[in-house]
Amino acid sequence: MSFIEQARRNQIVACAIETIAELGYAQASLAQIGQRANISKGVITYHFASKEELMQAVVDDVFSRFATFVAARVMDDKPWEMLQTLLQANADFLKAHRTQLLTLFEIAHNAHDLALHGHNRELDVERITKLLTDGQQQGVFRNFDVQVMASSIVALRDNLIAQSAKNANLDVDHYCQEIITLVNQAIRRSS
Amino acid sequence: MSFIEQARRNQIVACAIETIAELGYAQASLAQIGQRANISKGVITYHFASKEELMQAVVDDVFSRFATFVAARVMDDKPWEMLQTLLQANADFLKAHRTQLLTLFEIAHNAHDLALHGHNRELDVERITKLLTDGQQQGVFRNFDVQVMASSIVALRDNLIAQSAKNANLDVDHYCQEIITLVNQAIRRSS
Amino acid sequence: MSFIEQARRNQIVACAIETIAELGYAQASLAQIGQRANISKGVITYHFASKEELMQAVVDDVFSRFATFVAARVMDDKPWEMLQTLLQANADFLKAHRTQLLTLFEIAHNAHDLALHGHNRELDVERITKLLTDGQQQGVFRNFDVQVMASSIVALRDNLIAQSAKNANLDVDHYCQEIITLVNQAIRRSS
Amino acid sequence: MSFIEQARRNQIVACAIETIAELGYAQASLAQIGQRANISKGVITYHFASKEELMQAVVDDVFSRFATFVAARVMDDKPWEMLQTLLQANADFLKAHRTQLLTLFEIAHNAHDLALHGHNRELDVERITKLLTDGQQQGVFRNFDVQVMASSIVALRDNLIAQSAKNANLDVDHYCQEIITLVNQAIRRSS
DNA sequence: GATGAATGAGATTTCATTCAT
DNA sequence: TATGAATGAAATCTCATTCAT
């Protein structure tokens, strides 16, 4: 793929993100996206075989940024510390790139058959499952179903994003702190 | 409204629920819904002034069933006991009427401007907020932001429904028990 | 036709007149008309074989009232006096039954193939043609094409109605006086 | 707007004019218009955002042609001469472009809320009002209500068009001459 | 006589996709 | 590589008309 080709794709993806965040998935037609990018509708279908492929590209793009951002902040450490850092990194990404996350969730909720999305969330769940298992083995976490707990923690993270979607002025850090405390209470071995 | 009229509306609402649960909100056209009901498109627009009105009827129908079901099971009690019963009642409704709940959430995620839905979730959050405040005042719950905690508890409930959507064979009772324990740990005053 | 049958037809026709005057021909659906009459749509098609027949009934009804009203006021007299009285009678009907005339013209302009309407206007033109011919023979009117003049006089009358449609507060009598003078100047033999 | 784009719009407008003149406004659906143009419905909505926009384009197109045609023939002159020339120019346009005028009037009578039309007729009335006022001030016209007279003259012009609509073989020039004489008699100061 | 219910044709509109240039 | 143009399917909605009760 040429440099120009890649640049065009990036531009289109960026405009798609803006459009979806602003209008919602259902209203984000190729015409609307093209308009925001100041390019014709045809360009989009030239660079992407179908609208679905564009949406997939959007999901991949945002998710990889998200994953990179988080990975850069979560160093190997003790399970709880890593989990805490992970949640804070999620909140930090939300503060810095709210639009991107809103779009990611908008697509996730609307496009049921998009290949990667379910997988993306699963990656988060798997990673946290592993952390929780480690913590249990090290005796710092109480006994619980790690799958359910991991899914629940991701759900709490997702709810933070959803609340931010509804209220742009949400105090994300406060919310995150509350969730961290909540999770800490929920998983630590009772003294 | 005549008996027959009401029966037709109920039938159409029921078919809409089936269709949305099966195809997703975006694919649930009036034609699809009518096809499942073995009636022509026109019948739907005869009984409902617009598609939006039908969707609102669906939301109202499911939510009122849901609320009635839960209300019948949650008696006045101590805060924690009520919260526990509430979560279990939610799980019980999910086991009995999975399709209805999936549809409710499908609509909620897709139809941004449907009047009642946001309100519906808010009702749950408000109710739980009140329970949590009571528990804190009685000294059985630790100190936390009741708004964030209530929203989080509803998110955990929603996640149970979402997981059931993805996996029809999910062990709902086990999942619910885990959540109940999770919440209990998260909110009780540490000993 | 039974008395009740006739009464029902009259009621429906009256409601159709109201509806067309208020909403315009294109928006005057059977449902709208029925709603104003507090009857079901079915009643209309029970009493009228088709919508077209209803519209024809409306035209006939209004036109016959109009004609009767005018006939009662225009007595045999000299041509100019009759013509003057005729125009004033038209204005008087407009003042008394503006809604009916607006509906008559609304239908006339929109329903091209309604049998009687063209005929109705033709009746007016014919009558005036006769008056003008008489006046010419009596030497009180100058020489002109009586067909064109008659059509033009009816057009001036129609324009009065059209202006009244646009402006409910139009001074109909003043307008009528101006037209009468206009026509008088136009047709009288120059001294 | 590209040349091809403009050509297509012109073609569609032309077909719309034909269709409306032939079938009447109410029957002139996008499908019918497209059929006459040998293009699919979609092409029309590609070039015009809505049917209303197309109708506006039709009105604008015809009216601007009409106005240009008339303006080219009416030079600054004495009031009566200008008025006479104006009426003749109207008749000449009718002879040359009957279909266009029929369409203009068909739309005017049916589409109550189309922006420009009312304005168009008003322009004619205003212009003639000015001429009449001038003539009165110069003492060549008798005393009359210039608003009513201007509206009436336009009504006579419109009636000529309406009669031509009903009878394609109407002798337009004769009709026009009769109207000119009629108006002359009606407005000139009696000797 | 009356009516609610149902129907199906047809209208406008949106939109992803295809294609010629 | 890019784009305007075209297409056709599908969506919602309106409405005159038919029909069973």
Side-chain angles (χ1 to χ4, degrees), chain B residues 73-91:
Chain B
R73 279 154 185 80
V74 182
M75 302 292 126
D76 245 12
D77 200 345
K78 286 179 282 185
W80 168 247
E81 279 67 21
M82 284 182 76
L83 186 52
Q84 186 174 4
T85 314
L86 187 70
L87 287 169
Q88 187 60 52
N90 274 253

Side-chain angles (χ1 to χ4, degrees), chain C residues 92-161:
Chain C
D92 290 343
F93 189 82
L94 174 60
K95 286 188 292 180
H97 307 289
R98 181 170 172 269
T99 300
Q100 291 185 26
L101 276 192
L102 300 199
T103 293
L104 190 60
F105 277 70
E106 181 71 15
I107 296 179
H109 283 139
N110 288 271
H112 289 200
D113 35 3
L114 229 49
L116 249 76
H117 170 261
H119 188 49
N120 292 344
R121 191 186 194 271
E122 285 315 308
L123 287 178
D124 282 341
V125 173
E126 275 175 38
R127 178 169 201 188
I128 293 175
T129 300
K130 176 129 195 350
L131 281 180
L132 295 173
T133 306
D134 290 350
Q136 285 183 334
Q137 287 169 352
Q138 294 169 24
V140 294
F141 294 161
R142 68 173 174 88
N143 209 33
F144 47 72
D145 182 324
V146 289
Q147 300 282 348
V148 174
M149 184 62 76
S151 178
S152 295
I153 292 171
V154 172
L156 293 172
R157 187 270 318 259
D158 289 353
N159 186 48
L160 166 52
I161 297 169

Side-chain angles (χ1 to χ4, degrees), chain A residues 41-150:
Chain A
K41 218 173 17 170
V43 182
I44 301 176
T45 47
Y46 177 77
H47 290 282
F48 296 91
S50 67
K51 189 182 186 182
E52 189 178 349
E53 197 183 295
L54 168 59
M55 290 302 152
Q56 188 65 63
V58 168
V59 169
D60 292 354
D61 182 72
V62 175
F63 189 73
S64 73
R65 269 186 237 270
F66 189 18
T68 303
F69 183 98
V70 172
R73 280 156 184 78
V74 182
M75 302 291 127
D76 246 13
D77 199 341
K78 288 180 279 184
W80 169 246
E81 279 68 21
M82 284 182 76
L83 185 52
Q84 188 173 2
T85 312
L86 187 70
L87 287 169
Q88 187 60 54
N90 274 255
D92 290 343
F93 189 82
L94 173 60
K95 286 188 293 179
H97 307 290
R98 181 169 171 269
T99 300
Q100 293 186 25
L101 276 191
L102 300 200
T103 293
L104 190 60
F105 278 69
E106 182 71 15
I107 296 179
H109 283 138
N110 287 271
H112 289 201
D113 35 4
L114 229 50
L116 248 78
H117 170 262
H119 188 51
N120 291 345
R121 190 185 194 270
E122 285 315 309
L123 287 178
D124 281 341
V125 172
E126 273 175 37
R127 177 167 200 189
I128 293 176
T129 302
K130 175 130 198 349
L131 280 181
L132 295 172
T133 306
D134 289 350
Q136 284 182 335
Q137 286 170 353
Q138 294 170 24
V140 293
F141 295 161
R142 69 174 175 86
N143 210 32
F144 47 71
D145 183 323
V146 289
Q147 300 282 351
V148 174
M149 184 61 77

Side-chain angles (χ1 to χ4, degrees), chain B residues 3-191:
Chain B
F3 176 73
I4 286 186
E5 160 82 357
Q6 189 59 59
R8 255 296 190 235
R9 282 177 67 102
N10 289 345
Q11 181 202 5
I12 293 168
V13 164
C15 285
I17 291 171
E18 291 298 325
T19 309
I20 294 167
E22 188 174 333
L23 303 181
Y25 182 81
Q27 304 305 317
S29 68
L30 297 186
Q32 281 288 343
I33 294 168
Q35 190 176 307
R36 267 169 185 72
N38 250 18
I39 56 177
S40 87
K41 266 183 308 187
V43 182
I44 300 177
T45 50
Y46 174 75
H47 291 280
F48 296 91
S50 67
K51 189 181 185 182
E52 188 178 348
E53 196 183 297
L54 169 57
M55 290 303 153
Q56 190 65 61
V58 168
V59 169
D60 291 353
D61 182 72
V62 174
F63 189 74
S64 74
R65 269 186 237 272
F66 188 19
T68 304
F69 183 98
V70 171
R73 279 154 185 80
V74 182
M75 302 292 126
D76 245 12
D77 200 345
K78 286 179 282 185
W80 168 247
E81 279 67 21
M82 284 182 76
L83 186 52
Q84 186 174 4
T85 314
L86 187 70
L87 287 169
Q88 187 60 52
N90 274 253
D92 291 343
F93 188 82
L94 174 60
K95 285 187 292 179
H97 307 288
R98 180 171 169 270
T99 301
Q100 290 186 26
L101 275 192
L102 300 200
T103 293
L104 190 61
F105 278 69
E106 182 69 15
I107 295 178
H109 284 137
N110 287 272
H112 290 199
D113 36 3
L114 227 51
L116 246 78
H117 168 263
H119 189 48
N120 291 346
R121 189 186 196 270
E122 285 314 308
L123 287 179
D124 283 340
V125 172
E126 274 175 37
R127 177 169 200 186
I128 293 176
T129 301
K130 175 129 197 350
L131 281 180
L132 296 173
T133 306
D134 289 349
Q136 285 182 334
Q137 286 170 351
Q138 294 169 23
V140 294
F141 295 160
R142 70 174 175 86
N143 210 32
F144 47 73
D145 183 325
V146 288
Q147 300 281 350
V148 174
M149 184 62 74
S151 179
S152 295
I153 291 171
V154 171
L156 293 171
R157 187 272 314 263
D158 290 353
N159 186 48
L160 166 52
I161 296 168
Q163 297 310 312
S164 169
K166 287 202 287 197
N167 172 14
N169 298 317
L170 187 81
D171 184 341
V172 172
D173 279 327
H174 167 66
Y175 214 106
C176 182
Q177 271 311 312
E178 289 290 314
I179 291 176
I180 288 174
T181 306
L182 186 173
V183 172
N184 185 30
Q185 295 282 331
I187 66 178
R188 70 187 174 82
R189 170 176 295 283
S190 307
S191 54

